[in-house]
Amino acid sequence: MNLSWQHLLAFLFAVGLLVTVHEFGHFWVARRLGFKVLRFSVGFGRALWKRTGGGPDHTEYVIAAIPLGGYVKMLDEREGAVESADLHRAFTRRPPWQRILVLLAGPAFNIIFAILLLAGMLLVTGSTEVRPVLGNIVAESPAALAGLRAGDEVITLNGRAVQGQGDVVLGLLDHMSGDGAALLGVRDEQGNAREARLNVSDPAERRRLTEPELLLRGLGLGFWQPQVPALIGEVFADTPAARGGLLKGDEVLAFNGEPVAGFPKLQELIETHAGQEVLLTIRRGGAEQSLRIAVEAQDVDGRRVGRIGIGSAREVKYPESMLRHRRVGPVAALGMATQQAWDMTALQARVFWRMLMGRVSLKNLSGPLTIAEYAGDSATSGVSAFIGFLVLISLSLGFLNLLPIPILDGGQIVYQTLEWIKGSPLSDRVQLAGQQLGIALLVLLMSVALFNDIVRQFG
């Protein structure tokens, strides 16, 4: 299992922050529209901290023991008697359009928060993209059949300009989960431009490509990376590497007698030798020696891969010629952030719909364990990485809460819209049936996500 207390702290901070933003959206708009708010709680269960605000509402502000959510409780005559003086401020007595605005406010604040985070990061650090120059192309793969070659730089994808590697990955995911066709405009090392058409016609293969970490590998392409020596920076305890005698600082020179061209190549060779004993030639203290290592087989997202428990001594650093960097002002930063947030949210919606239609793998659903792992990893990678994580999760929280599932904001918006059209509230029987259906759907989604978590963490 890859989780630690640092992962847990980063996860709790992220969830607490984003839940507070979400619930503050409901709270702020409700107060502005005249609703009476009884409680603003971050978390569920027993109150760890409570404060009562001033009049006339005396709203309770609560931090509760279970941090995985929160709520804003408004005056509601369905939950008990309401004094006549306050009746006009009860939730059910406000106009339907106001109720809809209050429900929309939570997801909207998550999306606005993500945009502001993105804009702030762009304003401080500027925009840096790694040029999407292709590395090794696997023979007979879809990429090879399309005519792609090592050294090609992707400049357009289905007619849309590409800025960096992320644009290519997200664009290919979108098209492979759709009709399986993508037209890439590329430029070779001599500066000659041409087009290459990637095509995966088999629906089952397209669905397989949407599994985590399989997209580029399945298409037979990868991005160019600078050479990193096969120098061991970390040997994890109780792993094949530790048991076989590898030490921090060893440099791997050969794998089963064949020279090793860098750490990424070493990782690739280890992955493809799951369950086998291999011979590593290393340099330690100026002298060469050989070690036999039994490669452990692990299931990673449905693939059998080899692992020995090592980490690189050096991070990948791209030369300046591979980076596109530009400074942006406040207006440009806000515009770029809004566009990126829209693109990511729209892609989430398309991929989620295709998942429901069976065209995208359910393995993409992540639960709390995987999110906690991402939170911890991003936090240890630096401020920019953690902000990027917060942006992604905040956008996801906003999108998911807009789904038309009755116990979510989106489902409640559907109820209020139907009441507005009908001119009277839906019957208790209909609302109860909707709530039960919503709970069943959420339990199903959470069960799949938790199953994926367990498989990722424990293999």
Side-chain angles (χ1 to χ4, degrees):
M1 189 168 181
N2 301 317
L3 298 179
S4 65
W5 65 268
Q6 291 99 328
H7 290 87
L8 179 61
L9 286 178
F11 172 69
L12 292 178
F13 174 80
V15 170
L17 176 62
L18 298 180
V19 164
T20 301
V21 169
H22 182 94
E23 298 305 332
F24 181 75
H26 293 309
F27 170 80
W28 188 83
V29 173
R31 290 283 292 265
R32 292 302 176 277
L33 291 176
F35 292 74
K36 184 170 182 177
V37 179
L38 303 179
R39 178 177 294 175
F40 179 171
S41 177
V42 177
F44 299 107
R46 185 172 62 88
L48 301 178
W49 177 89
K50 183 190 293 187
R51 178 178 175 273
T52 302
D57 292 351
H58 301 291
T59 304
E60 286 186 338
Y61 301 93
V62 176
I63 297 177
I66 304 172
L68 302 179
Y71 61 94
V72 170
K73 182 178 181 181
M74 285 169 258
L75 187 66
D76 194 326
E77 59 187 320
R78 294 171 298 183
E79 298 178 1
V82 175
E83 294 182 9
S84 58
D86 285 334
L87 200 56
H88 69 288
R89 301 186 63 198
F91 183 83
T92 52
R93 294 300 180 100
R94 306 303 297 174
W97 67 268
Q98 290 188 0
R99 288 179 247 159
I100 291 171
L101 283 181
V102 170
L103 292 165
L104 280 172
F109 268 52
N110 279 127
I111 294 170
I112 292 169
F113 181 68
I115 291 172
L116 293 177
L117 278 180
L118 263 176
M121 189 164 60
L122 288 169
L123 192 59
V124 172
T125 66
S127 172
T128 301
E129 300 280 358
V130 181
R131 290 169 52 201
V133 176
L134 300 181
N136 183 51
I137 302 296
V138 178
E140 303 302 318
S141 67
L145 296 175
L148 292 170
R149 297 189 291 269
D152 287 342
E153 180 176 2
V154 182
I155 52 179
T156 62
L157 183 55
N158 276 26
R160 184 173 180 177
V162 167
Q163 299 300 321
Q165 294 180 0
D167 290 345
V168 176
V169 174
L170 293 179
L172 288 176
L173 173 62
D174 192 10
H175 294 298
M176 289 304 113
S177 64
D179 60 6
L183 183 64
L184 280 69
V186 299
R187 183 169 49 226
D188 65 21
E189 294 174 289
Q190 288 71 45
N192 301 312
R194 69 182 194 282
E195 290 185 334
R197 184 176 295 278
L198 270 172
N199 188 48
V200 180
S201 58
D202 182 7
E205 177 62 15
R206 292 204 301 268
R207 186 178 186 280
R208 191 185 73 86
L209 289 175
T210 65
E211 294 183 13
E213 300 183 13
L214 280 190
L215 178 65
L216 298 185
R217 187 192 303 270
L219 291 172
L221 59 85
F223 295 115
W224 177 87
Q225 286 191 328
Q227 191 78 336
V228 178
L231 194 63
I232 307 300
E234 190 170 9
V235 178
F236 299 103
D238 194 28
T239 61
R243 291 190 289 270
L246 272 175
L247 300 176
K248 179 180 180 180
D250 290 346
E251 182 179 3
V252 180
L253 305 175
F255 186 100
N256 283 345
E258 297 294 327
V260 173
F263 198 86
K265 183 62 178 177
L266 175 62
Q267 285 182 305
E268 181 184 323
L269 290 168
I270 291 169
E271 284 189 0
T272 57
H273 286 74
Q276 302 178 33
E277 185 177 79
V278 300
L279 181 67
L280 300 184
T281 303
I282 65 168
R283 182 186 289 122
R284 179 186 298 168
E288 293 186 12
Q289 58 179 285
S290 296
L291 298 174
R292 291 196 173 275
I293 308 290
V295 180
E296 186 177 273
Q298 293 185 5
D299 183 87
V300 178
D301 297 320
R303 296 183 298 119
R304 189 171 183 266
V305 299
R307 293 282 190 268
I308 65 172
I310 58 173
S312 174
R314 300 182 187 177
E315 62 177 306
V316 176
K317 288 190 175 181
Y318 289 93
E320 285 298 320
S321 61
M322 280 292 294
L323 301 176
R324 292 193 180 108
H325 182 80
R326 63 185 176 116
R327 307 296 300 183
V328 293
V331 175
L334 187 59
M336 290 173 63
T338 302
Q339 184 64 53
Q340 288 181 35
W342 168 256
D343 290 343
M344 284 191 281
T345 304
L347 179 59
Q348 279 188 87
R350 291 195 295 273
V351 169
F352 187 80
W353 174 252
R354 292 167 186 169
M355 191 182 298
L356 295 179
M357 295 297 101
R359 291 155 58 187
V360 171
S361 173
L362 288 173
K363 293 180 181 179
N364 289 284
L365 284 175
S366 296
L369 297 181
T370 298
I371 295 172
E373 185 174 355
Y374 289 157
D377 290 346
S378 63
T380 57
S381 298
V383 175
S384 293
F386 189 62
I387 289 176
F389 166 78
L390 287 176
V391 167
L392 182 61
I393 298 301
S394 193
L395 289 174
S396 298
L397 187 60
F399 165 72
L400 290 173
N401 269 280
L402 287 174
L403 292 176
I405 297 175
I407 64 174
L408 298 178
D409 294 328
Q412 294 302 312
I413 290 169
V414 171
Y415 278 173
Q416 302 305 323
T417 303
L418 291 174
E419 178 179 332
W420 197 0
I421 295 170
K422 181 172 175 279
S424 61
L426 299 177
S427 69
D428 291 341
R429 184 173 60 83
V430 170
Q431 293 194 47
L432 178 60
Q435 297 283 6
Q436 292 172 338
L437 176 62
I439 291 171
L441 288 173
L442 276 186
V443 168
L444 177 61
L445 288 174
M446 290 173 65
S447 298
V448 173
L450 189 58
F451 174 79
N452 289 341
D453 278 1
I454 293 170
V455 169
R456 290 186 186 110
Q457 292 296 324
F458 300 100

